[in-house]
Amino acid sequence: MIEFKNVTKTYPDGTTALRGVTFSVEEGELLTVVGPSGCGKTTTMKMINRLIKPTEGSIFIHNKNIKEFNIHELRWNIGYVLQQIALFPHMTIEENIAIVPELKKWKKKDISSRIDELMNMVGLEPETYRKRKPDELSGGQQQRIGVIRALAADPDIILMDEPFSALDPISREKLQQDIRELQRKIKKTIVFVTHDMDEALALGDRVCLMKEGEIVQVDTPQNMVLEP
Ligand code: ADP
Ligand code: ADP
């Protein structure tokens, strides 16, 4: 589904963030990418939706080099959940969720029922919350909206970059369960970045361990060989 072949990224200031990285994500798989701050996780994610380009090597989605995709086609089919909650503050919850479906010119009534469906899926009563602004929701609720917004237009791939890092441990645990359930229901390909090994092991079908711009191991949580 997603394939990195020998990808190296050197930023203009000379920092090499990735060194010949090769890995793949299977269709319908939840891959967690884990490693210390600065090891190249976010760089990897940004390259998947072409926010940045590899210096060397290639990336494929469905066996097609991502260079060859129309940029909108590519981005609309990739839901991106960011670390900082990135809801637009001046827009209501329903307007926030509707952004990509509207760009894709979905019918109004289809967008509306999609919003209901998604909000119910993560336990946020649409009647109560649809018309609110983001700052009228708790941090955990906003993060949940961030997750379903990324799913709204039914993308093939979902990228999540430390989506729970700003949350208290209880909201975090609840959201981890949500993601696992979601994965079971929607069977999407998900790449989930975290610096927390426990989270990576608990969530991933497979875990990709990175260090200093290289992949150290990719395996099932059971088979990971962890340093003490
Ligand atoms: P992680 O997500 O694992 O914390 P990043 O991918 O953000 O790691 O960063 C990897 C390395 O690349 C780090 O050394 C970081 O400082 C560097 N880096 C990230 N973005 C840039 C940039 N725009 N310019 C220069 N160096 C960068
Ligand atoms: P650029 O200004 O580099 O062309 P965009 O305007 O496409 O980038 O994206 C702006 C922000 O929205 C970025 O931070 C990106 O991570 C995020 N983003 C891009 N595509 C999506 C998407 N399909 N779903 C959610 N967020 C996205």
Side-chain angles (χ1 to χ4, degrees), residues 46 49-52 71-72 74-82 84 86 88 100 146 149-151 155 157:
K46 285 182 175 166
N49 83 346
R50 252 173 60 188
L51 286 168
I52 54 180
I71 192 70
H72 300 295
L74 180 75
R75 296 223 176 122
W76 293 352
N77 279 306
I78 299 177
Y80 205 156
V81 187
L82 300 160
Q84 330 78 291
F88 291 104
V100 180
R149 182 178 63 171
L151 303 176
I157 295 170

Coordinates of all heavy atoms in Angstrom, one line a residue, residues 46 49-52 71-72 74-82 84 86 88 100 146 149-151 155 157, ligand 2:
K46 N 5.4 13.5 6.8 CA 5.2 14.6 5.8 C 5.5 14.2 4.4 O 5.0 14.8 3.5 CB 6.1 15.8 6.2 CG 5.6 16.6 7.4 CD 6.4 17.7 7.7 CE 5.9 18.6 8.8 NZ 6.9 19.6 9.3
N49 N 2.4 12.6 2.4 CA 1.5 13.4 1.6 C 2.2 14.6 0.9 O 1.5 15.5 0.5 CB 0.3 13.8 2.5 CG 0.5 15.0 3.4 OD1 1.7 15.4 3.6 ND2 -0.5 15.6 3.9
R50 N 3.4 14.4 0.7 CA 4.2 15.3 -0.2 C 4.3 16.7 0.3 O 4.4 17.7 -0.4 CB 3.6 15.3 -1.6 CG 4.6 14.6 -2.6 CD 4.0 14.4 -4.0 NE 3.6 15.6 -4.7 CZ 3.0 15.6 -5.8 NH1 2.6 14.5 -6.4 NH2 2.7 16.8 -6.4
L51 N 4.3 16.9 1.6 CA 4.6 18.2 2.2 C 6.1 18.5 2.0 O 6.5 19.6 1.9 CB 4.2 18.2 3.7 CG 2.7 18.3 4.0 CD1 2.4 18.1 5.4 CD2 2.1 19.7 3.5
I52 N 6.9 17.4 2.1 CA 8.3 17.6 1.7 C 8.7 16.4 0.8 O 8.1 15.4 0.8 CB 9.2 17.6 2.9 CG1 9.0 16.4 3.8 CG2 9.1 18.9 3.7 CD1 9.9 16.4 5.1
I71 N -1.7 16.4 -6.9 CA -1.5 16.7 -5.4 C -2.8 16.7 -4.6 O -2.8 16.3 -3.5 CB -0.7 18.1 -5.2 CG1 -0.2 18.2 -3.8 CG2 -1.5 19.3 -5.7 CD1 0.9 17.3 -3.3
H72 N -3.9 17.2 -5.3 CA -5.2 17.2 -4.5 C -5.7 15.8 -4.4 O -6.1 15.4 -3.3 CB -6.2 18.0 -5.3 CG -5.8 19.5 -5.4 ND1 -5.6 20.3 -4.3 CD2 -5.4 20.2 -6.5 CE1 -5.2 21.5 -4.8 NE2 -5.1 21.4 -6.1
L74 N -3.9 13.2 -4.2 CA -3.1 12.6 -3.1 C -3.6 13.0 -1.7 O -3.8 12.2 -0.9 CB -1.6 12.9 -3.4 CG -0.7 12.3 -2.3 CD1 -0.4 10.8 -2.6 CD2 0.7 13.0 -2.4
R75 N -3.6 14.3 -1.5 CA -3.9 14.8 -0.2 C -5.4 14.5 0.3 O -5.6 14.3 1.5 CB -3.7 16.3 -0.1 CG -2.2 16.6 -0.3 CD -1.6 17.7 0.6 NE -0.2 17.8 0.4 CZ 0.4 18.9 0.0 NH1 -0.3 20.1 -0.1 NH2 1.7 19.0 -0.2
W76 N -6.3 14.5 -0.7 CA -7.7 14.3 -0.3 C -7.8 12.8 0.1 O -8.8 12.4 0.8 CB -8.6 14.6 -1.4 CG -8.7 16.1 -1.7 CD1 -8.1 17.1 -0.9 CD2 -9.4 16.7 -2.8 NE1 -8.4 18.3 -1.5 CE2 -9.2 18.1 -2.6 CE3 -10.1 16.3 -3.8 CZ2 -9.7 19.0 -3.5 CZ3 -10.7 17.2 -4.7 CH2 -10.4 18.6 -4.6
N77 N -6.9 12.0 -0.3 CA -7.0 10.5 0.0 C -6.2 10.2 1.2 O -6.0 9.0 1.5 CB -6.7 9.7 -1.2 CG -7.9 9.6 -2.1 OD1 -9.0 9.2 -1.7 ND2 -7.8 10.0 -3.4
I78 N -5.6 11.2 1.8 CA -4.8 10.9 3.0 C -5.3 11.8 4.1 O -5.3 13.0 4.0 CB -3.3 11.3 2.8 CG1 -2.7 10.4 1.6 CG2 -2.5 11.1 4.0 CD1 -1.3 10.7 1.3
G79 N -5.9 11.2 5.2 CA -6.3 12.0 6.3 C -5.1 12.2 7.2 O -4.4 11.3 7.5
Y80 N -4.9 13.5 7.7 CA -3.7 13.8 8.5 C -4.2 14.3 9.8 O -4.9 15.3 9.9 CB -2.9 14.8 7.7 CG -1.4 14.8 8.1 CD1 -0.5 15.3 7.1 CD2 -0.9 14.3 9.3 CE1 0.9 15.4 7.4 CE2 0.4 14.3 9.6 CZ 1.3 14.9 8.6 OH 2.7 14.9 8.9
V81 N -3.8 13.6 10.9 CA -4.1 14.1 12.2 C -2.9 14.6 12.9 O -1.9 13.8 13.0 CB -4.8 13.0 13.1 CG1 -5.2 13.6 14.4 CG2 -5.9 12.3 12.4
L82 N -2.8 15.9 13.2 CA -1.6 16.5 13.7 C -1.5 16.5 15.2 O -2.5 16.4 15.9 CB -1.5 17.9 13.2 CG -1.5 18.0 11.7 CD1 -1.9 19.4 11.3 CD2 -0.1 17.6 11.1
Q84 N -0.6 19.1 17.2 CA -1.3 20.2 17.7 C -2.7 20.1 17.2 O -2.9 19.7 16.0 CB -0.8 21.6 17.2 CG 0.7 21.7 16.9 CD 1.1 21.1 15.6 OE1 1.0 19.8 15.5 NE2 1.4 21.9 14.6
A86 N -5.6 21.0 15.3 CA -5.5 21.9 14.2 C -6.9 22.3 13.6 O -7.1 22.5 12.5 CB -4.6 21.4 13.0
F88 N -10.0 24.7 12.9 CA -10.1 26.1 12.6 C -11.0 26.8 13.7 O -12.2 26.4 13.8 CB -10.6 26.4 11.2 CG -9.6 26.0 10.2 CD1 -9.8 24.8 9.4 CD2 -8.5 26.8 9.9 CE1 -8.9 24.5 8.4 CE2 -7.6 26.4 9.0 CZ -7.8 25.3 8.2
V100 N -13.0 18.8 3.8 CA -12.5 18.0 2.6 C -13.7 17.4 1.8 O -13.7 17.5 0.6 CB -11.5 16.9 3.0 CG1 -11.1 16.0 1.8 CG2 -10.3 17.5 3.7
G146 N -10.6 16.1 15.6 CA -9.4 16.1 14.7 C -9.3 14.8 14.0 O -9.0 14.7 12.8
R149 N -12.3 14.3 11.6 CA -12.2 15.2 10.4 C -11.3 14.5 9.4 O -11.5 14.6 8.2 CB -11.7 16.5 10.8 CG -11.6 17.5 9.6 CD -11.1 18.8 10.0 NE -9.7 18.8 10.5 CZ -9.0 19.9 10.8 NH1 -9.5 21.1 10.5 NH2 -7.8 19.8 11.2
A150 N -10.2 13.9 9.8 CA -9.3 13.3 8.9 C -10.0 12.1 8.2 O -9.5 11.7 7.1 CB -8.1 12.8 9.6
L151 N -11.0 11.5 8.8 CA -11.7 10.4 8.2 C -12.9 10.8 7.3 O -13.4 10.0 6.6 CB -12.3 9.5 9.3 CG -11.4 8.9 10.4 CD1 -12.2 8.2 11.4 CD2 -10.4 8.0 9.7
P155 N -10.8 8.7 3.4 CA -9.5 8.5 2.7 C -9.0 7.1 2.8 O -9.5 6.3 3.6 CB -8.6 9.4 3.6 CG -9.2 9.4 4.9 CD -10.7 9.3 4.7
I157 N -5.8 6.4 3.4 CA -4.7 6.3 4.3 C -4.9 7.4 5.4 O -5.4 8.5 5.1 CB -3.4 6.6 3.6 CG1 -3.1 5.5 2.5 CG2 -2.2 6.8 4.6 CD1 -1.9 5.9 1.6
Ligands
ADP2 P1 0.8 23.4 1.6 O1 0.4 24.7 2.2 O2 2.2 22.9 2.0 O3 0.4 23.1 0.2 P2 -1.7 22.2 2.6 O4 -2.4 23.5 2.5 O5 -2.1 21.1 1.7 O6 -0.1 22.3 2.5 O7 -1.8 21.7 4.0 C1 -1.9 22.6 5.1 C2 -1.9 21.7 6.4 O8 -3.0 20.8 6.3 C3 -0.7 20.9 6.6 O9 -0.2 21.1 7.9 C4 -1.1 19.5 6.3 O10 -0.4 18.6 7.2 C5 -2.6 19.5 6.6 N1 -3.2 18.6 5.6 C6 -2.9 18.4 4.3 N2 -3.7 17.6 3.8 C7 -4.6 17.2 4.7 C8 -5.7 16.3 4.7 N3 -6.0 15.6 3.7 N4 -6.3 16.1 5.9 C9 -6.0 16.9 7.0 N5 -5.0 17.7 7.0 C10 -4.3 17.9 5.9

